[in-house]
Amino acid sequence: MTGSAGDGRKPSGPPPALLTGVVAEALRAADGSAGGVYLCAGTPGLLRLAALTGLPGPLFRPWWRVNVDRPFPVAEVHRTGVPVVLANATETMRRYPQFAAGLPFQFGSLYVPVTAGGRAFGVLTVLRSAVADATEALAGRERLTAVADALGTALLRLAADGRAVTWDDEPLCVRPPAAGPAPGRVGRFSWDPATGAVAVDEHARMLLGLPRGAFPGTLDALVRAIDATDALRLPGLFARTARGRPPPLPVRLRTVEGGLRLLELWEATGAESPADAPAASPAAPSRVAGVLLDPGPGALADGAADLLPEGVFCLDRMGFVVYANPRAGQLLGVPRDLLVGRSLWDSVPWLNQPTCEEHLRGVLLAPEPTHFHVRRPSPADRPSQGRPFEGDWLRVSLYPGADLVTCTAVPANRVPDEAAPEPADTDAPAPDVAASTAPFYRPIVLAIALTEAVTARQVSAVVMQELLPAFGGRMLAIYLLQERHLYLAWESGFPKGFLAPFEGVGLDARLPGVETLTTGRPLFFDSMQQLADAYPGIALDAEEGARAFLPLIASGRPVGSCILGFDRSRSFGSEERTVLTALAGLIAHAMEKAQRYDTESALARGLQQALLPRRLSQHPGVETAGRYLPGTEGMDVGGDWYDVVEAGDGLALVIGDVQGHGVQAAATMGQLRSAVRAFALSDRPPQEVLGGTNRLLIDLDPGQFASCCYVRLDPATGLARAARAGHLPPLLRHPDGRTEVVELPGGVVLGVDPRAHYPVTELRLEPGAILALYTDGLVERPGHDIDEGISALRGALAEAGGPAERSRTGPGGAARTTDAGAGAPGAVADGAPGRALGAVADRLTALARQTADRPDDIALLLATRRDGRKDHPWRA
């Protein structure tokens, strides 16, 4: 199965031989059974499978496209540039439940980024046998990384030459390297278009029935060995392959003696298989290499299986039938000569059922036999009695091997209740493979994905990424009910402005999007004409297509309606309608949860803005600057806070972090801030401030704890007395640019132990030095030790007073601010003092500000002493 899984056109991207060679090398490097390479698509934020080996491409259509923000291993590796090793199904389920739900089989997998020159091109992946410990796969990861690096280098050269390195076609699907030596029924040959010379090996000569004497070595001589009907197209196939357009599937040929042969062609120079072929020069036709395969019974003990009473057929790893005994043809209802040499789903279309596809996927990924029942379509002249007839059902068994899957089929008079659903109508066009997998795969994945979505926008994005591709849809609109009117919450794919007239329509409007909600009944229209006939005068956004209108009802309460749009007319089967209706219920529950979240989030944000300091206490000898950035994942308001409070003739610098997010965390933060301020205003020692606040939190018993760092600074002497309760240590930048982590012994977090003790540490803050207090959101990164984040922040603080910073900032006085750009209150007005220290705060939070997905809040408080000079050393 060589070339693209489409019409054989030349793909618009990197040379096919380069990609197919890489995936085969990846299998050898990581001892895998299947592999592929994903490349960036022309559409931003999308990865597409460019090459696949060891698995039938159509059977894995749902995984051809991956959004880079999905919680799948391929997407994560592309985003982070960090390889992922999944030893087995347990590890896959633990780390990537959505991915595991779609492929719930016992296999391991490796993923490495394809990068070069600081540019991310895609991801190389290999599927292999499951192992108990990931350490067993680490050696394979290192070898796979070397293959990925070589591909990245090649793609970087192509990009430098102005050639496309993105992929927007269907994947190239190639046969994997054989597990053992090539059997005698496989012959190899090559053709050089420059000289016209043809070379064949001994096996190819035998398969073509060429005489034992000297072979003339010409294309004409090769053509004469083929049946006249097939021989006419052979020269054209060779010529198109030499120009980079190999046939996408094995070509069926007959010899002059009538023997069936399968022909595979690819462009290559010195290649032994399609996978080994290097990229050809675009200036001249490439040399053509190929194999001839005899799919007859010779590979199975000289046809002994022909005598067995059960049906026996064999599939290669590309899904092609390479052998079938006569009984298999009878049971499957396809003559054996039409069965062999074709893909199973092409030759037996009624097997295009979710159950059959899922079992075949499983046996190709995991080396375990599997058995299932499938119902054959009854002959048209057989009377129906409302139940299966004897012999209507088959019991199919699949036995995996290194290169072949051996299948048996026997009649089954009785089937269990969980047997496969009715097969598709054989008179209807073959269904889209992605659509046929939807009833089995997408409900599970969509349900898992929806549990992670908390906002209406996130829910809509999940529906767009998981639901539409499964059913072949291109357009989506979700309306939510507010005060008996429907308002658009999300739309994608519809013509610009088309949905505007429907915004805010009442429940009395005669529109399908309204009536599906008021009646609770989904509406399906197979064509735009059918929609226009049902609703005369309705505005249509296209002349061709189909539409599905689904009610969003959660626990009997109306939430809104969902519109799915399709580019072409289509019919909605009964099972598909059932699945879509069920999925609409999942979406409705998720949207209802999102609406509750939006309400609580707005309340929490308002509460938090009210509780954060509007202005920081000022002192003529001290400058301060603060920044706050809310998290963007989950409940995106939390309990981080900072404050500067007058404490006698000094200042108290405070930073804290309440565990959790939401209204409760914000409320607890407000209580703690008030308590700390009260203790600080009375100029209590740091240990008493933290001890009193700790006991107050325990008495309040909100079910939460908090960390805190409290520093009492004497502006005149620079003496600072600090205590901390489970909080991260401060950082200190000296006037000469040296930085250090201020090690404070500290005590347990607030709200846990009423007898907790908080020791005090003294340090000296020299004029021009910067003291930095921060919360863990600024230094914590998934998959990285927090010490690495503290070291990175320390390095950024050291550089904050460099020449570039000096050129941008000038002298100034005291300042405080939360980050107005992040939505917090209290921006400093133009001309206010302290802009220089504020610029340092901006630099320390710049990366976090640019990160779209912040899992936690971030708070930062900086302080520096003046010494009466015009400038500080860190500015000078």
Side-chain angles (χ1 to χ4, degrees):
M1 192 170 179
T2 310
S4 66
D7 58 6
R9 66 186 184 278
K10 191 175 183 63
S12 56
L18 171 65
L19 301 178
T20 56
V22 163
V23 293
E25 181 61 26
L27 258 61
R28 290 189 285 263
D31 192 24
S33 58
V37 58
Y38 283 86
L39 295 179
C40 294
T43 302
L46 187 67
L47 295 172
R48 292 192 68 117
L49 183 62
L52 176 68
T53 185
L55 294 172
L59 201 60
F60 289 82
R61 188 183 295 267
W63 295 271
W64 284 8
R65 296 158 44 104
V66 175
N67 289 85
V68 296
D69 59 346
R70 300 304 296 145
F72 287 1
V74 166
E76 179 176 309
V77 170
H78 181 69
R79 290 196 310 266
T80 65
V82 178
V84 166
V85 177
L86 302 175
N88 47 48
T90 301
E91 178 70 6
T92 305
M93 177 58 77
R94 183 183 69 83
R95 296 182 60 182
Y96 304 98
Q98 292 185 37
F99 177 67
L103 295 170
F105 311 114
Q106 284 293 337
F107 68 94
S109 51
L110 292 83
Y111 308 83
V112 297
V114 177
T115 60
R119 181 173 177 179
F121 294 102
V123 176
L124 186 61
T125 177
V126 166
L127 309 184
R128 50 173 292 162
S129 299
V131 294
D133 191 345
T135 57
E136 299 181 41
L138 291 181
R141 183 193 67 181
E142 298 305 318
R143 295 191 295 267
L144 189 63
T145 299
V147 177
D149 290 345
L151 174 59
T153 301
L155 294 175
L156 188 63
R157 286 198 300 264
L158 290 174
D161 292 339
R163 298 188 61 179
V165 291
T166 57
W167 192 266
D168 290 296
D169 293 284
E170 295 184 355
L172 303 163
C173 299
V174 295
R175 196 176 304 280
R185 61 193 182 95
V186 176
R188 302 182 184 276
F189 62 90
S190 64
W191 174 61
D192 186 346
T195 64
V198 174
V200 298
D201 67 5
E202 183 64 16
H203 295 308
R205 186 192 61 76
M206 294 175 59
L207 291 173
L208 291 171
L210 297 172
R212 288 187 174 274
F215 175 61
T218 65
L219 185 57
D220 287 341
L222 188 67
V223 169
R224 285 196 296 271
I226 305 299
D227 181 79
T229 303
D230 296 327
L232 294 174
R233 53 185 175 143
L234 201 58
L237 291 174
F238 274 65
R240 285 195 296 273
T241 302
R243 287 177 168 78
R245 297 175 56 199
L249 305 174
V251 179
R252 292 162 54 94
L253 299 173
R254 296 268 179 193
T255 65
V256 289
E257 288 84 10
L260 177 63
R261 302 291 182 261
L262 299 182
L263 170 70
E264 291 195 36
L265 299 173
W266 63 92
E267 50 175 333
T269 302
E272 294 297 324
S273 71
D276 298 324
S281 168
S286 305
R287 193 171 66 89
V288 174
V291 295
L292 278 171
L293 172 69
D294 176 10
L300 294 175
D302 295 325
D306 286 359
L307 306 177
L308 296 177
E310 66 263 24
V312 178
F313 57 100
C314 295
L315 307 175
D316 65 9
R317 291 196 63 85
M318 308 306 294
F320 283 82
V321 181
V322 297
Y323 166 78
N325 69 356
R327 182 60 170 155
Q330 294 173 4
L331 293 175
L332 297 177
V334 181
R336 182 165 70 162
D337 63 338
L338 297 180
L339 190 63
V340 174
R342 297 183 177 180
S343 68
L344 182 63
W345 36 86
D346 284 342
S347 54
V348 192
W350 55 267
L351 286 178
N352 287 351
Q353 306 178 25
T355 297
C356 302
E357 293 178 347
E358 194 68 11
H359 284 287
L360 187 53
R361 270 195 292 269
V363 82
L364 288 168
L365 292 174
E368 296 292 336
T370 185
H371 315 277
F372 62 95
H373 289 81
V374 61
R375 186 177 180 182
R376 300 181 298 169
S378 300
D381 57 352
R382 177 175 290 177
S384 173
Q385 298 180 7
R387 59 181 177 83
F389 282 85
E390 179 177 345
D392 278 353
W393 292 87
L394 294 178
R395 185 178 190 272
V396 179
S397 299
L398 307 177
Y399 301 92
D403 296 318
L404 296 176
V405 176
T406 301
C407 314
T408 65
V410 295
N413 297 330
R414 297 177 60 190
V415 296
D417 293 339
E418 64 272 16
E422 292 283 347
D425 183 1
T426 55
D427 293 331
D432 183 272
V433 177
S436 66
T437 64
F440 191 93
Y441 165 64
R442 291 296 176 178
I444 302 172
V445 175
L446 182 63
I448 295 175
L450 286 175
T451 62
E452 301 177 357
V454 293
T455 67
R457 185 176 184 83
Q458 290 172 344
V459 171
S460 302
V462 166
V463 175
M464 188 72 192
Q465 294 167 356
E466 299 293 349
L467 182 65
L468 283 190
F471 292 89
R474 296 292 182 270
M475 291 165 278
L476 169 71
I478 294 180
Y479 284 86
L480 296 181
L481 181 64
Q482 298 177 21
E483 298 179 352
R484 297 186 57 79
H485 289 75
L486 288 174
Y487 295 92
L488 185 66
W490 175 280
E491 68 90 14
S492 178
F494 287 94
K496 185 177 181 180
F498 172 75
L499 296 173
F502 306 108
E503 179 72 2
V505 296
L507 295 185
D508 56 348
R510 190 173 185 276
L511 293 170
V514 174
E515 293 189 355
T516 188
L517 179 62
T518 56
T519 64
R521 180 171 55 89
L523 302 174
F524 298 93
F525 300 96
D526 297 348
S527 67
M528 301 304 288
Q529 183 60 50
Q530 192 178 91
L531 173 60
D533 292 342
Y535 292 88
I538 189 173
L540 299 179
D541 59 303
E543 295 181 359
E544 294 293 331
R547 296 290 182 268
F549 297 84
L550 308 175
L552 301 182
I553 299 174
S555 303
R557 295 185 298 275
V559 175
S561 61
C562 176
I563 306 173
L564 303 181
F566 304 84
D567 289 339
R568 296 190 299 269
S569 299
R570 53 164 298 169
S571 60
F572 297 90
S574 59
E575 183 180 23
E576 195 173 28
R577 293 178 181 225
T578 300
V579 171
L580 282 171
T581 303
L583 293 179
L586 291 177
I587 298 168
H589 280 282
M591 278 294 183
E592 186 181 48
K593 180 185 71 175
Q595 288 177 312
R596 290 198 301 269
Y597 161 81
D598 289 338
T599 301
E600 183 177 354
S601 177
L603 175 61
R605 184 175 295 282
L607 177 61
Q608 187 180 49
Q609 288 184 347
L611 294 175
L612 283 172
R614 282 284 176 182
R615 296 189 62 83
L616 301 180
S617 296
Q618 300 181 17
H619 190 283
V622 178
E623 294 182 26
T624 58
R627 295 291 183 268
Y628 172 78
L629 299 176
T632 60
E633 297 180 5
M635 286 300 299
D636 58 359
V637 288
D640 290 19
W641 92 95
Y642 63 87
D643 207 349
V644 178
V645 188
E646 294 180 10
D649 57 357
L651 285 180
L653 311 174
V654 189
I655 197 161
D657 183 0
V658 177
Q659 168 238 357
H661 296 82
V663 173
Q664 184 61 53
T668 301
M669 177 268 284
Q671 292 171 319
L672 292 183
R673 176 173 175 263
S674 297
V676 172
R677 286 185 66 87
F679 287 122
L681 287 170
S682 61
D683 202 13
R684 304 281 290 275
Q687 68 271 26
E688 293 186 20
V689 173
L690 292 185
T693 305
N694 174 53
R695 289 187 292 273
L696 174 65
L697 183 59
I698 292 174
D699 291 341
L700 292 173
D701 192 22
Q704 293 174 305
F705 57 84
S707 67
C708 184
C709 184
Y710 182 92
V711 181
R712 201 279 187 187
L713 175 64
D714 183 345
T717 65
L719 178 64
R721 304 182 72 243
R724 66 185 180 112
H727 202 80
L728 296 172
L731 298 178
L732 178 61
R733 184 186 190 278
H734 296 278
D736 60 3
R738 292 180 299 110
T739 60
E740 64 173 296
V741 178
V742 181
E743 296 295 345
L744 305 180
V748 299
V749 293
L750 306 175
V752 173
D753 181 4
R755 297 179 301 277
H757 174 63
Y758 299 98
V760 175
T761 301
E762 292 188 355
L763 64 145
R764 184 75 59 179
L765 188 64
E766 299 294 335
I770 302 176
L771 183 67
L773 308 181
Y774 53 93
T775 57
D776 55 5
L778 187 59
V779 294
E780 204 167 33
R781 297 291 181 271
H784 295 271
D785 189 271
I786 196 169
D787 290 337
E788 297 178 18
I790 294 176
S791 296
L793 179 62
R794 180 180 171 184
L797 181 62
E799 297 174 357
E805 186 66 34
R806 293 196 301 267
S807 67
R808 290 197 306 268
T809 60
R816 52 73 29 236
T817 177
T818 55
D819 194 317
V828 174
D830 290 342
R835 284 177 297 176
L837 191 61
V840 176
D842 287 336
R843 291 191 65 179
L844 297 183
T845 56
L847 180 61
R849 193 190 316 276
Q850 296 165 8
T851 302
D853 299 322
R854 292 190 297 270
D856 200 1
D857 294 17
I858 292 172
L860 172 70
L861 177 62
L862 302 180
T864 186
R865 283 180 64 214
R866 292 191 182 88
D867 61 355
R869 295 182 299 170
K870 182 178 180 180
D871 257 331
H872 293 314
W874 54 270
R875 288 188 193 152

